[in-house]
Every structure is written in C-alpha cells, then in structure tokens.
Amino acid sequence: QADKLRNQQELERLQAKFIGTGHPDTTSWEWKTNIHRDTYSSIVGHPPLLSYLALAENEPVAKVRAEMIRKMLQPVGPPPPRE
C-alpha cells in the first residue's frame, strides 16, 4: 500500500514538473501536440539530425530549421472546439 501511494505521488510530481507527461484530463489533441513539438525541437536541437533531414529533403539547413520551428506553433492543427 505504501509503495502504491509513493508511486502515485511520484507520478503527480513528474506530471507537475514536465508538461508532456500528461495527466488524467489530457486530451488526445494535447498529447499529440506535445509529442510533435518534442520531435521538432529534438530535430532542431541536434545539428546532425537536422543536416540529415535537410539532405533528404534537398533543402538548405536554415530553411528546414525555420520550417520545423514554424510547425511547432500548431503541429496537429487548431485545437478542437470546447464543449
């Protein structure tokens, strides 16, 4: 019982510290948005990966970086209407 409580408290602490870990009220749209933003920021933050993607797309690195940053605004489209 104590381990279960400790695990729950640790999960709540992580959810408060890191937005992307989600919580019971996280919507599918919020979760997908966090995943896409994490992916784009990882690509932009790792120059070899960014260079590889630029080479694969036959585009300049600066253009691919700018496109990834632009995509971070609404990576999976606008939010769904609230009920």
Side-chain angles (χ1 to χ4, degrees), residues 29-63:
W29 180 83
E30 290 172 329
W31 186 80
K32 290 176 190 174
T33 299
N34 286 333
I35 297 300
H36 279 76
R37 284 184 179 153
D38 287 348
T39 302
Y40 292 142
S41 65
S42 179
I43 291 171
V44 170
H46 291 90
L49 187 55
L50 185 63
S51 297
Y52 176 77
L53 193 57
L55 179 66
E57 293 180 358
N58 197 24
E59 296 285 348
V61 173
K63 185 175 181 180

